[in-house]
PDB file of all heavy atoms in Angstrom:
ATOM      1  N   ARG A   1     105.495 114.473  87.200  1.00  0.00           N
ATOM      2  CA  ARG A   1     105.463 113.265  88.092  1.00  0.00           C
ATOM      3  C   ARG A   1     106.776 112.451  87.867  1.00  0.00           C
ATOM      4  O   ARG A   1     107.312 112.000  88.880  1.00  0.00           O
ATOM      5  CB  ARG A   1     104.301 112.386  87.910  1.00  0.00           C
ATOM      6  CG  ARG A   1     103.010 112.994  88.445  1.00  0.00           C
ATOM      7  CD  ARG A   1     101.856 112.004  88.326  1.00  0.00           C
ATOM      8  NE  ARG A   1     102.022 110.871  89.171  1.00  0.00           N
ATOM      9  CZ  ARG A   1     102.041 109.609  88.778  1.00  0.00           C
ATOM     10  NH1 ARG A   1     101.836 109.278  87.484  1.00  0.00           N
ATOM     11  NH2 ARG A   1     102.325 108.640  89.599  1.00  0.00           N
ATOM     12  N   LEU A   2     107.192 112.331  86.674  1.00  0.00           N
ATOM     13  CA  LEU A   2     108.441 111.574  86.411  1.00  0.00           C
ATOM     14  C   LEU A   2     109.654 112.193  87.167  1.00  0.00           C
ATOM     15  O   LEU A   2     110.451 111.535  87.640  1.00  0.00           O
ATOM     16  CB  LEU A   2     108.690 111.420  84.872  1.00  0.00           C
ATOM     17  CG  LEU A   2     107.772 110.461  84.145  1.00  0.00           C
ATOM     18  CD1 LEU A   2     107.990 110.634  82.605  1.00  0.00           C
ATOM     19  CD2 LEU A   2     107.972 109.022  84.597  1.00  0.00           C
ATOM     20  N   VAL A   3     109.714 113.540  87.019  1.00  0.00           N
ATOM     21  CA  VAL A   3     110.838 114.233  87.672  1.00  0.00           C
ATOM     22  C   VAL A   3     110.729 114.082  89.157  1.00  0.00           C
ATOM     23  O   VAL A   3     111.777 113.763  89.823  1.00  0.00           O
ATOM     24  CB  VAL A   3     110.899 115.710  87.236  1.00  0.00           C
ATOM     25  CG1 VAL A   3     111.865 116.498  88.043  1.00  0.00           C
ATOM     26  CG2 VAL A   3     111.235 115.845  85.781  1.00  0.00           C
ATOM     27  N   LEU A   4     109.584 114.229  89.719  1.00  0.00           N
ATOM     28  CA  LEU A   4     109.419 114.108  91.188  1.00  0.00           C
ATOM     29  C   LEU A   4     109.619 112.690  91.663  1.00  0.00           C
ATOM     30  O   LEU A   4     110.330 112.493  92.654  1.00  0.00           O
ATOM     31  CB  LEU A   4     108.069 114.558  91.596  1.00  0.00           C
ATOM     32  CG  LEU A   4     107.683 116.120  91.517  1.00  0.00           C
ATOM     33  CD1 LEU A   4     106.188 116.347  91.686  1.00  0.00           C
ATOM     34  CD2 LEU A   4     108.509 116.873  92.484  1.00  0.00           C
ATOM     35  N   ALA A   5     109.256 111.730  90.886  1.00  0.00           N
ATOM     36  CA  ALA A   5     109.452 110.314  91.225  1.00  0.00           C
ATOM     37  C   ALA A   5     110.974 110.045  91.242  1.00  0.00           C
ATOM     38  O   ALA A   5     111.428 109.302  92.127  1.00  0.00           O
ATOM     39  CB  ALA A   5     108.790 109.378  90.209  1.00  0.00           C
ATOM     40  N   GLU A   6     111.695 110.544  90.305  1.00  0.00           N
ATOM     41  CA  GLU A   6     113.122 110.398  90.359  1.00  0.00           C
ATOM     42  C   GLU A   6     113.752 111.020  91.516  1.00  0.00           C
ATOM     43  O   GLU A   6     114.657 110.423  92.157  1.00  0.00           O
ATOM     44  CB  GLU A   6     113.747 110.892  88.975  1.00  0.00           C
ATOM     45  CG  GLU A   6     115.207 110.654  88.868  1.00  0.00           C
ATOM     46  CD  GLU A   6     115.560 109.174  88.924  1.00  0.00           C
ATOM     47  OE1 GLU A   6     114.900 108.294  88.357  1.00  0.00           O
ATOM     48  OE2 GLU A   6     116.683 108.797  89.529  1.00  0.00           O
ATOM     49  N   ARG A   7     113.388 112.304  91.835  1.00  0.00           N
ATOM     50  CA  ARG A   7     113.996 113.014  92.917  1.00  0.00           C
ATOM     51  C   ARG A   7     113.615 112.321  94.295  1.00  0.00           C
ATOM     52  O   ARG A   7     114.369 112.373  95.219  1.00  0.00           O
ATOM     53  CB  ARG A   7     113.459 114.405  93.023  1.00  0.00           C
ATOM     54  CG  ARG A   7     113.845 115.252  91.810  1.00  0.00           C
ATOM     55  CD  ARG A   7     115.327 115.466  91.648  1.00  0.00           C
ATOM     56  NE  ARG A   7     115.527 116.454  90.494  1.00  0.00           N
ATOM     57  CZ  ARG A   7     116.407 116.300  89.555  1.00  0.00           C
ATOM     58  NH1 ARG A   7     117.083 115.152  89.461  1.00  0.00           N
ATOM     59  NH2 ARG A   7     116.598 117.191  88.694  1.00  0.00           N
ATOM     60  N   LEU A   8     112.454 111.622  94.378  1.00  0.00           N
ATOM     61  CA  LEU A   8     112.079 110.894  95.545  1.00  0.00           C
ATOM     62  C   LEU A   8     112.475 109.464  95.504  1.00  0.00           C
ATOM     63  O   LEU A   8     112.206 108.682  96.448  1.00  0.00           O
ATOM     64  CB  LEU A   8     110.533 110.886  95.686  1.00  0.00           C
ATOM     65  CG  LEU A   8     109.945 112.320  96.026  1.00  0.00           C
ATOM     66  CD1 LEU A   8     108.492 112.347  95.797  1.00  0.00           C
ATOM     67  CD2 LEU A   8     110.230 112.568  97.463  1.00  0.00           C
ATOM     68  N   ASP A   9     113.252 109.036  94.490  1.00  0.00           N
ATOM     69  CA  ASP A   9     113.774 107.702  94.320  1.00  0.00           C
ATOM     70  C   ASP A   9     112.685 106.580  94.402  1.00  0.00           C
ATOM     71  O   ASP A   9     112.759 105.657  95.100  1.00  0.00           O
ATOM     72  CB  ASP A   9     114.804 107.489  95.445  1.00  0.00           C
ATOM     73  CG  ASP A   9     115.752 106.311  95.089  1.00  0.00           C
ATOM     74  OD1 ASP A   9     115.960 106.064  93.911  1.00  0.00           O
ATOM     75  OD2 ASP A   9     116.243 105.650  96.013  1.00  0.00           O
ATOM     76  N   ILE A  10     111.547 106.866  93.647  1.00  0.00           N
ATOM     77  CA  ILE A  10     110.524 105.858  93.607  1.00  0.00           C
ATOM     78  C   ILE A  10     110.815 104.924  92.521  1.00  0.00           C
ATOM     79  O   ILE A  10     110.928 105.272  91.371  1.00  0.00           O
ATOM     80  CB  ILE A  10     109.179 106.617  93.284  1.00  0.00           C
ATOM     81  CG1 ILE A  10     108.778 107.529  94.381  1.00  0.00           C
ATOM     82  CG2 ILE A  10     108.057 105.531  93.078  1.00  0.00           C
ATOM     83  CD1 ILE A  10     107.524 108.376  94.123  1.00  0.00           C
ATOM     84  N   ARG A  11     111.013 103.657  92.911  1.00  0.00           N
ATOM     85  CA  ARG A  11     111.367 102.554  92.032  1.00  0.00           C
ATOM     86  C   ARG A  11     110.314 101.445  91.922  1.00  0.00           C
ATOM     87  O   ARG A  11     110.229 100.690  91.017  1.00  0.00           O
ATOM     88  CB  ARG A  11     112.712 101.966  92.304  1.00  0.00           C
ATOM     89  CG  ARG A  11     113.845 102.935  92.376  1.00  0.00           C
ATOM     90  CD  ARG A  11     114.290 103.259  90.902  1.00  0.00           C
ATOM     91  NE  ARG A  11     115.379 104.211  90.956  1.00  0.00           N
ATOM     92  CZ  ARG A  11     115.325 105.491  90.573  1.00  0.00           C
ATOM     93  NH1 ARG A  11     114.124 105.993  90.184  1.00  0.00           N
ATOM     94  NH2 ARG A  11     116.303 106.277  90.662  1.00  0.00           N
ATOM     95  N   ASP A  12     109.567 101.329  93.054  1.00  0.00           N
ATOM     96  CA  ASP A  12     108.650 100.196  93.169  1.00  0.00           C
ATOM     97  C   ASP A  12     107.468 100.584  94.077  1.00  0.00           C
ATOM     98  O   ASP A  12     107.413 101.723  94.606  1.00  0.00           O
ATOM     99  CB  ASP A  12     109.347  98.951  93.646  1.00  0.00           C
ATOM    100  CG  ASP A  12     110.065  99.044  94.987  1.00  0.00           C
ATOM    101  OD1 ASP A  12     109.616  99.931  95.772  1.00  0.00           O
ATOM    102  OD2 ASP A  12     111.064  98.389  95.182  1.00  0.00           O
ATOM    103  N   GLU A  13     106.620  99.644  94.355  1.00  0.00           N
ATOM    104  CA  GLU A  13     105.359  99.923  95.163  1.00  0.00           C
ATOM    105  C   GLU A  13     105.763 100.303  96.558  1.00  0.00           C
ATOM    106  O   GLU A  13     105.093 101.153  97.199  1.00  0.00           O
ATOM    107  CB  GLU A  13     104.493  98.678  95.188  1.00  0.00           C
ATOM    108  CG  GLU A  13     103.736  98.489  93.866  1.00  0.00           C
ATOM    109  CD  GLU A  13     102.780  99.610  93.592  1.00  0.00           C
ATOM    110  OE1 GLU A  13     102.098 100.099  94.542  1.00  0.00           O
ATOM    111  OE2 GLU A  13     102.685  99.967  92.418  1.00  0.00           O
ATOM    112  N   THR A  14     106.841  99.744  97.094  1.00  0.00           N
ATOM    113  CA  THR A  14     107.245 100.037  98.488  1.00  0.00           C
ATOM    114  C   THR A  14     107.658 101.551  98.642  1.00  0.00           C
ATOM    115  O   THR A  14     107.289 102.237  99.489  1.00  0.00           O
ATOM    116  CB  THR A  14     108.394  99.105  98.946  1.00  0.00           C
ATOM    117  OG1 THR A  14     108.063  97.830  98.838  1.00  0.00           O
ATOM    118  CG2 THR A  14     108.835  99.462 100.338  1.00  0.00           C
ATOM    119  N   ASP A  15     108.416 101.967  97.629  1.00  0.00           N
ATOM    120  CA  ASP A  15     108.821 103.380  97.534  1.00  0.00           C
ATOM    121  C   ASP A  15     107.563 104.298  97.372  1.00  0.00           C
ATOM    122  O   ASP A  15     107.500 105.320  98.007  1.00  0.00           O
ATOM    123  CB  ASP A  15     109.752 103.625  96.359  1.00  0.00           C
ATOM    124  CG  ASP A  15     111.088 102.839  96.504  1.00  0.00           C
ATOM    125  OD1 ASP A  15     111.526 102.569  97.636  1.00  0.00           O
ATOM    126  OD2 ASP A  15     111.668 102.593  95.498  1.00  0.00           O
ATOM    127  N   ALA A  16     106.673 103.854  96.457  1.00  0.00           N
ATOM    128  CA  ALA A  16     105.439 104.697  96.330  1.00  0.00           C
ATOM    129  C   ALA A  16     104.639 104.776  97.591  1.00  0.00           C
ATOM    130  O   ALA A  16     104.057 105.758  97.956  1.00  0.00           O
ATOM    131  CB  ALA A  16     104.684 104.141  95.208  1.00  0.00           C
ATOM    132  N   ASP A  17     104.504 103.660  98.343  1.00  0.00           N
ATOM    133  CA  ASP A  17     103.760 103.626  99.620  1.00  0.00           C
ATOM    134  C   ASP A  17     104.461 104.567 100.624  1.00  0.00           C
ATOM    135  O   ASP A  17     103.738 105.273 101.327  1.00  0.00           O
ATOM    136  CB  ASP A  17     103.761 102.228 100.186  1.00  0.00           C
ATOM    137  CG  ASP A  17     102.810 101.289  99.428  1.00  0.00           C
ATOM    138  OD1 ASP A  17     102.007 101.794  98.644  1.00  0.00           O
ATOM    139  OD2 ASP A  17     102.924 100.057  99.622  1.00  0.00           O
ATOM    140  N   ARG A  18     105.791 104.574 100.627  1.00  0.00           N
ATOM    141  CA  ARG A  18     106.481 105.507 101.524  1.00  0.00           C
ATOM    142  C   ARG A  18     106.139 106.974 101.272  1.00  0.00           C
ATOM    143  O   ARG A  18     105.865 107.748 102.136  1.00  0.00           O
ATOM    144  CB  ARG A  18     107.986 105.268 101.398  1.00  0.00           C
ATOM    145  CG  ARG A  18     108.878 106.290 102.042  1.00  0.00           C
ATOM    146  CD  ARG A  18     110.327 106.112 101.788  1.00  0.00           C
ATOM    147  NE  ARG A  18     110.741 105.934 100.379  1.00  0.00           N
ATOM    148  CZ  ARG A  18     110.943 106.874  99.479  1.00  0.00           C
ATOM    149  NH1 ARG A  18     110.766 108.189  99.863  1.00  0.00           N
ATOM    150  NH2 ARG A  18     111.286 106.659  98.250  1.00  0.00           N
ATOM    151  N   VAL A  19     106.083 107.352 100.014  1.00  0.00           N
ATOM    152  CA  VAL A  19     105.699 108.641  99.513  1.00  0.00           C
ATOM    153  C   VAL A  19     104.300 108.962  99.905  1.00  0.00           C
ATOM    154  O   VAL A  19     103.886 110.158 100.387  1.00  0.00           O
ATOM    155  CB  VAL A  19     106.022 108.867  98.036  1.00  0.00           C
ATOM    156  CG1 VAL A  19     105.467 110.160  97.494  1.00  0.00           C
ATOM    157  CG2 VAL A  19     107.549 108.809  97.800  1.00  0.00           C
ATOM    158  N   HIS A  20     103.350 108.027  99.658  1.00  0.00           N
ATOM    159  CA  HIS A  20     101.928 108.266  99.824  1.00  0.00           C
ATOM    160  C   HIS A  20     101.536 108.387 101.402  1.00  0.00           C
ATOM    161  O   HIS A  20     100.504 108.829 101.644  1.00  0.00           O
ATOM    162  CB  HIS A  20     101.093 107.203  99.139  1.00  0.00           C
ATOM    163  CG  HIS A  20     101.064 107.315  97.698  1.00  0.00           C
ATOM    164  ND1 HIS A  20     100.743 108.448  97.039  1.00  0.00           N
ATOM    165  CD2 HIS A  20     101.469 106.442  96.729  1.00  0.00           C
ATOM    166  CE1 HIS A  20     100.866 108.347  95.713  1.00  0.00           C
ATOM    167  NE2 HIS A  20     101.375 107.098  95.502  1.00  0.00           N
ATOM    168  N   ARG A  21     102.456 107.930 102.225  1.00  0.00           N
ATOM    169  CA  ARG A  21     102.132 108.065 103.663  1.00  0.00           C
ATOM    170  C   ARG A  21     102.125 109.513 104.152  1.00  0.00           C
ATOM    171  O   ARG A  21     101.509 109.759 105.156  1.00  0.00           O
ATOM    172  CB  ARG A  21     103.184 107.235 104.506  1.00  0.00           C
ATOM    173  CG  ARG A  21     102.789 105.784 104.627  1.00  0.00           C
ATOM    174  CD  ARG A  21     103.667 105.070 105.612  1.00  0.00           C
ATOM    175  NE  ARG A  21     104.176 103.914 104.801  1.00  0.00           N
ATOM    176  CZ  ARG A  21     105.433 103.611 104.708  1.00  0.00           C
ATOM    177  NH1 ARG A  21     106.344 104.265 105.282  1.00  0.00           N
ATOM    178  NH2 ARG A  21     105.838 102.514 104.027  1.00  0.00           N
ATOM    179  N   VAL A  22     102.875 110.336 103.493  1.00  0.00           N
ATOM    180  CA  VAL A  22     102.907 111.762 103.853  1.00  0.00           C
ATOM    181  C   VAL A  22     101.634 112.441 103.315  1.00  0.00           C
ATOM    182  O   VAL A  22     101.420 112.458 102.198  1.00  0.00           O
ATOM    183  CB  VAL A  22     104.202 112.485 103.285  1.00  0.00           C
ATOM    184  CG1 VAL A  22     104.227 113.944 103.750  1.00  0.00           C
ATOM    185  CG2 VAL A  22     105.438 111.726 103.678  1.00  0.00           C
ATOM    186  N   GLN A  23     100.784 112.813 104.256  1.00  0.00           N
ATOM    187  CA  GLN A  23      99.464 113.378 103.847  1.00  0.00           C
ATOM    188  C   GLN A  23      99.173 114.776 104.206  1.00  0.00           C
ATOM    189  O   GLN A  23      98.275 115.372 103.743  1.00  0.00           O
ATOM    190  CB  GLN A  23      98.358 112.414 104.437  1.00  0.00           C
ATOM    191  CG  GLN A  23      98.333 110.976 103.927  1.00  0.00           C
ATOM    192  CD  GLN A  23      98.008 110.930 102.540  1.00  0.00           C
ATOM    193  OE1 GLN A  23      97.051 111.604 102.067  1.00  0.00           O
ATOM    194  NE2 GLN A  23      98.623 110.146 101.735  1.00  0.00           N
ATOM    195  N   ASP A  24      99.861 115.311 105.231  1.00  0.00           N
ATOM    196  CA  ASP A  24      99.487 116.629 105.791  1.00  0.00           C
ATOM    197  C   ASP A  24     100.622 117.663 105.528  1.00  0.00           C
ATOM    198  O   ASP A  24     101.812 117.394 105.880  1.00  0.00           O
ATOM    199  CB  ASP A  24      99.229 116.487 107.279  1.00  0.00           C
ATOM    200  CG  ASP A  24      98.665 117.703 107.882  1.00  0.00           C
ATOM    201  OD1 ASP A  24      98.797 118.813 107.345  1.00  0.00           O
ATOM    202  OD2 ASP A  24      97.989 117.572 108.991  1.00  0.00           O
ATOM    203  N   TRP A  25     100.289 118.786 105.014  1.00  0.00           N
ATOM    204  CA  TRP A  25     101.262 119.847 104.751  1.00  0.00           C
ATOM    205  C   TRP A  25     101.949 120.316 106.006  1.00  0.00           C
ATOM    206  O   TRP A  25     103.150 120.731 105.969  1.00  0.00           O
ATOM    207  CB  TRP A  25     100.632 121.031 103.968  1.00  0.00           C
ATOM    208  CG  TRP A  25     100.287 120.727 102.589  1.00  0.00           C
ATOM    209  CD1 TRP A  25      99.057 120.357 102.139  1.00  0.00           C
ATOM    210  CD2 TRP A  25     101.122 120.739 101.490  1.00  0.00           C
ATOM    211  NE1 TRP A  25      99.064 120.130 100.849  1.00  0.00           N
ATOM    212  CE2 TRP A  25     100.320 120.281 100.369  1.00  0.00           C
ATOM    213  CE3 TRP A  25     102.478 120.948 101.275  1.00  0.00           C
ATOM    214  CZ2 TRP A  25     100.872 120.175  99.145  1.00  0.00           C
ATOM    215  CZ3 TRP A  25     102.930 120.849 100.017  1.00  0.00           C
ATOM    216  CH2 TRP A  25     102.185 120.441  98.945  1.00  0.00           C
ATOM    217  N   GLY A  26     101.210 120.168 107.159  1.00  0.00           N
ATOM    218  CA  GLY A  26     101.858 120.505 108.449  1.00  0.00           C
ATOM    219  C   GLY A  26     103.017 119.557 108.825  1.00  0.00           C
ATOM    220  O   GLY A  26     103.869 119.886 109.646  1.00  0.00           O
ATOM    221  N   ASP A  27     103.026 118.326 108.254  1.00  0.00           N
ATOM    222  CA  ASP A  27     104.032 117.404 108.560  1.00  0.00           C
ATOM    223  C   ASP A  27     105.281 117.509 107.633  1.00  0.00           C
ATOM    224  O   ASP A  27     106.183 116.817 107.875  1.00  0.00           O
ATOM    225  CB  ASP A  27     103.508 115.980 108.335  1.00  0.00           C
ATOM    226  CG  ASP A  27     102.412 115.646 109.327  1.00  0.00           C
ATOM    227  OD1 ASP A  27     102.348 116.287 110.407  1.00  0.00           O
ATOM    228  OD2 ASP A  27     101.598 114.705 109.038  1.00  0.00           O
ATOM    229  N   ALA A  28     105.213 118.436 106.664  1.00  0.00           N
ATOM    230  CA  ALA A  28     106.337 118.663 105.760  1.00  0.00           C
ATOM    231  C   ALA A  28     107.438 119.412 106.444  1.00  0.00           C
ATOM    232  O   ALA A  28     107.426 120.646 106.419  1.00  0.00           O
ATOM    233  CB  ALA A  28     105.831 119.278 104.473  1.00  0.00           C
ATOM    234  N   ASP A  29     108.353 118.691 107.074  1.00  0.00           N
ATOM    235  CA  ASP A  29     109.437 119.320 107.831  1.00  0.00           C
ATOM    236  C   ASP A  29     110.744 119.227 107.132  1.00  0.00           C
ATOM    237  O   ASP A  29     111.765 119.680 107.689  1.00  0.00           O
ATOM    238  CB  ASP A  29     109.453 118.878 109.208  1.00  0.00           C
ATOM    239  CG  ASP A  29     109.589 117.343 109.313  1.00  0.00           C
ATOM    240  OD1 ASP A  29     109.689 116.659 108.313  1.00  0.00           O
ATOM    241  OD2 ASP A  29     109.570 116.847 110.483  1.00  0.00           O
ATOM    242  N   ASP A  30     110.815 118.574 105.967  1.00  0.00           N
ATOM    243  CA  ASP A  30     112.074 118.453 105.243  1.00  0.00           C
ATOM    244  C   ASP A  30     111.692 118.409 103.706  1.00  0.00           C
ATOM    245  O   ASP A  30     110.596 118.338 103.347  1.00  0.00           O
ATOM    246  CB  ASP A  30     112.871 117.180 105.666  1.00  0.00           C
ATOM    247  CG  ASP A  30     112.098 115.931 105.446  1.00  0.00           C
ATOM    248  OD1 ASP A  30     111.086 115.824 104.759  1.00  0.00           O
ATOM    249  OD2 ASP A  30     112.562 114.899 106.008  1.00  0.00           O
ATOM    250  N   VAL A  31     112.756 118.433 102.859  1.00  0.00           N
ATOM    251  CA  VAL A  31     112.554 118.505 101.402  1.00  0.00           C
ATOM    252  C   VAL A  31     111.802 117.262 100.958  1.00  0.00           C
ATOM    253  O   VAL A  31     110.870 117.370 100.145  1.00  0.00           O
ATOM    254  CB  VAL A  31     113.875 118.670 100.736  1.00  0.00           C
ATOM    255  CG1 VAL A  31     113.769 118.552  99.279  1.00  0.00           C
ATOM    256  CG2 VAL A  31     114.559 119.983 101.079  1.00  0.00           C
ATOM    257  N   GLU A  32     112.224 116.079 101.484  1.00  0.00           N
ATOM    258  CA  GLU A  32     111.528 114.825 100.940  1.00  0.00           C
ATOM    259  C   GLU A  32     110.058 114.754 101.263  1.00  0.00           C
ATOM    260  O   GLU A  32     109.228 114.437 100.417  1.00  0.00           O
ATOM    261  CB  GLU A  32     112.217 113.633 101.561  1.00  0.00           C
ATOM    262  CG  GLU A  32     111.622 112.304 100.922  1.00  0.00           C
ATOM    263  CD  GLU A  32     112.347 111.075 101.246  1.00  0.00           C
ATOM    264  OE1 GLU A  32     113.590 111.151 101.624  1.00  0.00           O
ATOM    265  OE2 GLU A  32     111.702 109.970 101.194  1.00  0.00           O
TER     266      GLU A  32
END
């Protein structure tokens, strides 16, 4: 999780919320 958080640039709650919005594997159209 620490490595993934760094790669996703998670620094605060706003960043975490951005990451948690992606919920469906069908929506994964890019690396992020």
Side-chain angles (χ1 to χ4, degrees):
R1 285 186 68 237
L2 287 172
V3 169
L4 290 169
E6 183 60 39
R7 299 294 188 234
L8 289 165
D9 201 28
I10 298 174
R11 301 283 179 254
D12 56 27
E13 287 296 317
T14 304
D15 297 333
D17 288 343
R18 169 184 48 84
V19 168
H20 289 304
R21 274 189 235 125
V22 182
Q23 295 291 322
D24 189 340
W25 289 98
D27 294 338
D29 55 3
D30 60 15
V31 172
E32 184 171 337

